[in-house]
Amino acid sequence: MEAPLASAADIPSVDRLLHRPALAPLVARHGRAQVTSVLRAHLDDLRRAALAGTLGRSALTEEAIAPALETKLSASERPRLRPVFNLTGTVLHTNLGRAVLPAEAVRAVVEALTAPVNLEFDLDSGARGDRDALIEELLCELTGAEAATVVNNNAAAVLLTLSTLASRRETLVSRGELVEIGGSFRIPDIMRQAGAKLIEVGSTNRTHLSDYAAAIGARTALLMKVHTSNYAISGFTKSVSVAELSELGRAHQLPVAVDLGSGSLVDLTRWQLPAEPTVRATVAAGADLVAFSADKLLGGPQAGMLVGRAELIRKLKKSPLKRALRVGKLTLAALEPVLGLYRAPEFLPQRLTTLRLLTRAPAGMKAQAVRLQPIVQRALGAAYQVRDEPMSSQTGSGALPVDQLPSHGLVVRAVKARRGSLDRLEAALRALPRPVIGRAADKALWLDLRCLEASDEEAFEAQWSELRL
Ligand SMILES: *Cc1c(COP(=O)(O)O)cnc(C)c1O
């Protein structure tokens, strides 16, 4: 028996429907304006179906319309910024928000959001305070620097440095250090934006101290070193150390600034991680200013840190750009407890999320992979083969670029290699309630378990029943 068809004239009015009891709870929850707009769009759809001769009468009852609206309203209210599972194997993944913060930092952010705070208010004197003062002392203690300030990110720290110290004058940088980070940060571009003239010294693979010395002239304002974060040059190479460059700077009374990129507040080799220059060692070697990110190896919120000589930091803080690039209270709230963790470095691998992930033992990840393999295999079905295999993760965000960390995870391959089957699988994983992001390579999908902590495993297991392949 065919369902009775409706015509466009049978479609009830928006006004009449809005007053029906089935829609009342929707109006109470989502507000009249949103329900009206979704209802209008829904009735337009019904009208089109009626004109095409495909609209059944049953679709016109309020009992049919209300749930359809509810589905659309919930979908439109779902947050756009959502938690995902980062199984890419890149711990500090810029596209996935870089460092995940420890619980102390999250608590501090919630408190700072919930109540007024002494952001720029000196509780001792009752006078106006300086927001940087909240973390300056801690940063100086951890780096050995005289003074410190903080801005929106490391790109901002470099921009502020160049604009304040080298505007309309020359900055010397080695050709081997004119790097691009993640497509949007290029040293020559930042230099231009800051109004500083870039003087390239040396060659791509070799730069000597004499190259800098020869380029110093009356218009030179700054000597700069950039940590070549995301690539390495090997072979016949030579670069000038911070100590050598600082000595040259002192002889000519020119400040030396170092963009350390990730930089680290502790020596990572004590946990068998690849060496990365520490901020303290860079300051000790004589750098006058050191800029670094707070959300890379440091493991904190997005921010750019600047530490160095008091007189230079004072100049930076007086620049109008500093006001434009300053951080908000949420950043400072998160930063303070993260920096605090560095006071007890021996506990960092437990307490600092980033370091905990970087130092995970492959054996633990292997056990996890063996446990999860049957669950994922069952969910993906016979068209895919899921195996637990060793793999390599990376730190990411330009830190420790060459060295890879031994890791373990699941590798998914299509049993019959049909075109698009891996793309389909990736799309299905992204459509899960908490999207799963892996890494496609060599005709397989690699799910690196390094960033799946035990506390997340239950949520990870629970959602496979919702996979729609
Ligand atoms: C990452 C990086 C930057 C940019 O830092 P953001 O905090 O992302 O702005 C600048 N310089 C170097 C050397 C870097 O590694």
Short mmCIF file of all heavy atoms in Angstrom, two decimals, residues 186-223:
data_model
loop_
_atom_site.label_atom_id
_atom_site.label_comp_id
_atom_site.label_asym_id
_atom_site.label_seq_id
_atom_site.Cartn_x
_atom_site.Cartn_y
_atom_site.Cartn_z
N ARG A 186 58.33 33.19 8.54
CA ARG A 186 59.60 33.19 7.84
C ARG A 186 60.41 34.36 8.35
O ARG A 186 59.90 35.49 8.39
CB ARG A 186 59.40 33.40 6.35
CG ARG A 186 58.92 32.18 5.63
CD ARG A 186 58.61 32.55 4.22
NE ARG A 186 58.58 31.37 3.39
CZ ARG A 186 58.34 31.42 2.09
NH1 ARG A 186 58.15 32.57 1.50
NH2 ARG A 186 58.30 30.31 1.39
N ILE A 187 61.64 34.08 8.72
CA ILE A 187 62.47 35.13 9.30
C ILE A 187 62.54 36.36 8.40
O ILE A 187 62.32 37.49 8.86
CB ILE A 187 63.88 34.58 9.64
CG1 ILE A 187 63.77 33.60 10.82
CG2 ILE A 187 64.87 35.68 9.95
CD1 ILE A 187 63.40 34.23 12.15
N PRO A 188 62.78 36.21 7.06
CA PRO A 188 62.85 37.43 6.22
C PRO A 188 61.54 38.23 6.23
O PRO A 188 61.56 39.46 6.19
CB PRO A 188 63.15 36.87 4.83
CG PRO A 188 63.79 35.54 5.07
CD PRO A 188 63.13 35.00 6.29
N ASP A 189 60.40 37.53 6.27
CA ASP A 189 59.10 38.22 6.27
C ASP A 189 58.88 39.01 7.56
O ASP A 189 58.39 40.13 7.56
CB ASP A 189 57.95 37.22 6.08
CG ASP A 189 58.01 36.55 4.71
OD1 ASP A 189 58.75 37.08 3.85
OD2 ASP A 189 57.34 35.53 4.51
N ILE A 190 59.21 38.37 8.68
CA ILE A 190 59.05 39.03 9.98
C ILE A 190 59.95 40.27 10.03
O ILE A 190 59.57 41.32 10.52
CB ILE A 190 59.45 38.08 11.14
CG1 ILE A 190 58.46 36.93 11.22
CG2 ILE A 190 59.56 38.81 12.46
CD1 ILE A 190 57.35 37.09 12.19
N MET A 191 61.14 40.09 9.49
CA MET A 191 62.13 41.17 9.47
C MET A 191 61.56 42.37 8.72
O MET A 191 61.60 43.50 9.19
CB MET A 191 63.34 40.60 8.72
CG MET A 191 64.65 41.21 8.94
SD MET A 191 65.39 40.96 10.53
CE MET A 191 66.16 39.40 10.47
N ARG A 192 60.96 42.11 7.53
CA ARG A 192 60.37 43.18 6.73
C ARG A 192 59.24 43.84 7.49
O ARG A 192 59.10 45.05 7.54
CB ARG A 192 59.87 42.58 5.41
CG ARG A 192 59.70 43.60 4.30
CD ARG A 192 59.41 42.94 2.96
NE ARG A 192 60.30 41.84 2.64
CZ ARG A 192 59.92 40.56 2.48
NH1 ARG A 192 58.67 40.24 2.59
NH2 ARG A 192 60.80 39.63 2.21
N GLN A 193 58.39 43.01 8.09
CA GLN A 193 57.23 43.53 8.83
C GLN A 193 57.69 44.44 9.97
O GLN A 193 57.04 45.42 10.30
CB GLN A 193 56.43 42.36 9.38
CG GLN A 193 55.09 42.73 9.94
CD GLN A 193 54.17 43.29 8.86
OE1 GLN A 193 54.09 42.77 7.77
NE2 GLN A 193 53.51 44.39 9.17
N ALA A 194 58.83 44.09 10.58
CA ALA A 194 59.33 44.88 11.71
C ALA A 194 60.08 46.12 11.22
O ALA A 194 60.52 46.94 12.03
CB ALA A 194 60.25 44.01 12.57
N GLY A 195 60.24 46.25 9.91
CA GLY A 195 60.95 47.42 9.38
C GLY A 195 62.45 47.30 9.57
O GLY A 195 63.17 48.30 9.51
N ALA A 196 62.93 46.08 9.78
CA ALA A 196 64.37 45.90 9.96
C ALA A 196 64.98 45.42 8.65
O ALA A 196 64.36 44.65 7.92
CB ALA A 196 64.65 44.89 11.06
N LYS A 197 66.16 45.86 8.37
CA LYS A 197 66.83 45.42 7.14
C LYS A 197 67.65 44.18 7.44
O LYS A 197 68.51 44.17 8.33
CB LYS A 197 67.72 46.53 6.59
CG LYS A 197 68.41 46.13 5.31
CD LYS A 197 68.83 47.34 4.47
CE LYS A 197 69.16 46.89 3.08
NZ LYS A 197 70.52 46.81 2.72
N LEU A 198 67.35 43.11 6.69
CA LEU A 198 68.05 41.85 6.88
C LEU A 198 69.36 41.86 6.12
O LEU A 198 69.40 42.12 4.92
CB LEU A 198 67.17 40.70 6.37
CG LEU A 198 67.82 39.33 6.21
CD1 LEU A 198 68.25 38.79 7.57
CD2 LEU A 198 66.87 38.36 5.53
N ILE A 199 70.46 41.60 6.83
CA ILE A 199 71.74 41.43 6.16
C ILE A 199 72.13 39.96 6.32
O ILE A 199 72.33 39.47 7.44
CB ILE A 199 72.83 42.32 6.79
CG1 ILE A 199 72.43 43.79 6.74
CG2 ILE A 199 74.18 42.09 6.10
CD1 ILE A 199 72.39 44.41 5.35
N GLU A 200 72.16 39.26 5.20
CA GLU A 200 72.49 37.84 5.25
C GLU A 200 74.00 37.67 5.29
O GLU A 200 74.71 38.31 4.51
CB GLU A 200 71.95 37.13 4.01
CG GLU A 200 70.46 37.29 3.85
CD GLU A 200 69.94 36.64 2.57
OE1 GLU A 200 70.66 35.80 2.00
OE2 GLU A 200 68.84 37.00 2.16
N VAL A 201 74.47 36.82 6.17
CA VAL A 201 75.92 36.59 6.23
C VAL A 201 76.22 35.11 6.03
O VAL A 201 75.39 34.25 6.32
CB VAL A 201 76.54 37.10 7.56
CG1 VAL A 201 76.22 38.57 7.77
CG2 VAL A 201 76.06 36.28 8.74
N GLY A 202 77.40 34.83 5.52
CA GLY A 202 77.82 33.45 5.32
C GLY A 202 77.11 32.80 4.16
O GLY A 202 76.55 33.46 3.29
N SER A 203 77.12 31.46 4.14
CA SER A 203 76.46 30.70 3.08
C SER A 203 75.48 29.74 3.74
O SER A 203 75.43 29.64 4.97
CB SER A 203 77.50 29.94 2.26
OG SER A 203 78.16 29.01 3.10
N THR A 204 74.72 29.01 2.93
CA THR A 204 73.70 28.14 3.48
C THR A 204 74.27 27.12 4.45
O THR A 204 73.72 26.88 5.52
CB THR A 204 72.96 27.41 2.33
OG1 THR A 204 72.48 28.40 1.44
CG2 THR A 204 71.81 26.58 2.85
N ASN A 205 75.41 26.52 4.08
CA ASN A 205 75.93 25.46 4.94
C ASN A 205 77.05 25.90 5.88
O ASN A 205 77.29 25.25 6.88
CB ASN A 205 76.37 24.24 4.10
CG ASN A 205 77.46 24.59 3.12
OD1 ASN A 205 77.53 25.72 2.64
ND2 ASN A 205 78.32 23.63 2.84
N ARG A 206 77.71 27.04 5.56
CA ARG A 206 78.81 27.44 6.44
C ARG A 206 78.81 28.95 6.68
O ARG A 206 78.79 29.74 5.75
CB ARG A 206 80.16 27.01 5.82
CG ARG A 206 80.37 25.51 5.88
CD ARG A 206 81.60 25.07 5.13
NE ARG A 206 82.85 25.44 5.80
CZ ARG A 206 83.42 24.71 6.74
NH1 ARG A 206 82.87 23.58 7.12
NH2 ARG A 206 84.54 25.09 7.29
N THR A 207 78.82 29.29 7.95
CA THR A 207 78.95 30.70 8.32
C THR A 207 80.01 30.80 9.40
O THR A 207 80.00 30.02 10.37
CB THR A 207 77.60 31.24 8.84
OG1 THR A 207 76.63 31.11 7.81
CG2 THR A 207 77.71 32.71 9.23
N HIS A 208 80.95 31.73 9.20
CA HIS A 208 82.05 31.90 10.16
C HIS A 208 81.87 33.20 10.94
O HIS A 208 81.18 34.12 10.47
CB HIS A 208 83.39 31.95 9.41
CG HIS A 208 83.61 30.76 8.54
ND1 HIS A 208 84.28 29.64 8.96
CD2 HIS A 208 83.21 30.50 7.26
CE1 HIS A 208 84.31 28.75 7.98
NE2 HIS A 208 83.65 29.24 6.95
N LEU A 209 82.52 33.30 12.06
CA LEU A 209 82.46 34.52 12.86
C LEU A 209 82.94 35.71 12.03
O LEU A 209 82.40 36.81 12.12
CB LEU A 209 83.31 34.36 14.13
CG LEU A 209 83.09 35.46 15.18
CD1 LEU A 209 81.65 35.48 15.68
CD2 LEU A 209 84.06 35.31 16.35
N SER A 210 83.94 35.47 11.19
CA SER A 210 84.48 36.56 10.37
C SER A 210 83.44 37.10 9.38
O SER A 210 83.49 38.26 8.99
CB SER A 210 85.72 36.08 9.61
OG SER A 210 85.38 34.93 8.84
N ASP A 211 82.45 36.25 9.00
CA ASP A 211 81.38 36.72 8.11
C ASP A 211 80.53 37.78 8.82
O ASP A 211 80.14 38.78 8.23
CB ASP A 211 80.48 35.56 7.67
CG ASP A 211 81.23 34.55 6.80
OD1 ASP A 211 82.11 34.98 6.03
OD2 ASP A 211 80.92 33.34 6.90
N TYR A 212 80.23 37.52 10.08
CA TYR A 212 79.47 38.51 10.85
C TYR A 212 80.31 39.78 11.02
O TYR A 212 79.83 40.89 10.78
CB TYR A 212 79.12 37.98 12.26
CG TYR A 212 78.06 36.90 12.31
CD1 TYR A 212 78.42 35.56 12.31
CD2 TYR A 212 76.71 37.22 12.41
CE1 TYR A 212 77.46 34.55 12.39
CE2 TYR A 212 75.74 36.22 12.49
CZ TYR A 212 76.13 34.89 12.49
OH TYR A 212 75.18 33.92 12.57
N ALA A 213 81.56 39.57 11.44
CA ALA A 213 82.42 40.73 11.73
C ALA A 213 82.54 41.64 10.51
O ALA A 213 82.45 42.87 10.63
CB ALA A 213 83.80 40.24 12.18
N ALA A 214 82.66 41.02 9.32
CA ALA A 214 82.84 41.82 8.10
C ALA A 214 81.57 42.60 7.75
O ALA A 214 81.64 43.62 7.06
CB ALA A 214 83.22 40.90 6.94
N ALA A 215 80.41 42.11 8.20
CA ALA A 215 79.13 42.74 7.81
C ALA A 215 78.73 43.85 8.78
O ALA A 215 77.79 44.59 8.50
CB ALA A 215 78.04 41.68 7.73
N ILE A 216 79.40 43.94 9.93
CA ILE A 216 79.04 44.97 10.90
C ILE A 216 79.42 46.35 10.36
O ILE A 216 80.53 46.56 9.88
CB ILE A 216 79.74 44.72 12.26
CG1 ILE A 216 79.15 43.45 12.91
CG2 ILE A 216 79.57 45.92 13.20
CD1 ILE A 216 79.81 43.05 14.21
N GLY A 217 78.44 47.26 10.41
CA GLY A 217 78.71 48.61 9.94
C GLY A 217 77.98 49.62 10.81
O GLY A 217 77.43 49.25 11.87
N ALA A 218 77.95 50.88 10.35
CA ALA A 218 77.37 51.95 11.15
C ALA A 218 75.87 51.76 11.38
O ALA A 218 75.31 52.24 12.36
CB ALA A 218 77.61 53.29 10.46
N ARG A 219 75.19 51.04 10.47
CA ARG A 219 73.74 50.89 10.58
C ARG A 219 73.33 49.59 11.26
O ARG A 219 72.14 49.28 11.38
CB ARG A 219 73.09 50.99 9.19
CG ARG A 219 73.41 52.30 8.46
CD ARG A 219 72.40 52.62 7.39
NE ARG A 219 71.00 52.56 7.82
CZ ARG A 219 70.39 53.49 8.54
NH1 ARG A 219 71.06 54.55 8.95
NH2 ARG A 219 69.13 53.37 8.86
N THR A 220 74.31 48.80 11.69
CA THR A 220 73.98 47.53 12.34
C THR A 220 73.37 47.78 13.72
O THR A 220 73.91 48.56 14.50
CB THR A 220 75.26 46.66 12.50
OG1 THR A 220 75.92 46.61 11.24
CG2 THR A 220 74.92 45.28 12.97
N ALA A 221 72.23 47.13 13.98
CA ALA A 221 71.57 47.29 15.28
C ALA A 221 71.58 46.02 16.10
O ALA A 221 71.53 46.06 17.33
CB ALA A 221 70.12 47.73 15.06
N LEU A 222 71.63 44.88 15.42
CA LEU A 222 71.37 43.62 16.14
C LEU A 222 72.07 42.46 15.44
O LEU A 222 72.11 42.39 14.21
CB LEU A 222 69.85 43.38 16.14
CG LEU A 222 69.27 42.21 16.93
CD1 LEU A 222 69.47 42.43 18.44
CD2 LEU A 222 67.78 42.05 16.63
N LEU A 223 72.61 41.54 16.24
CA LEU A 223 73.09 40.27 15.71
C LEU A 223 72.09 39.21 16.15
O LEU A 223 71.70 39.18 17.31
CB LEU A 223 74.48 39.93 16.28
CG LEU A 223 75.55 41.04 16.19
CD1 LEU A 223 76.88 40.52 16.77
CD2 LEU A 223 75.74 41.48 14.74
#
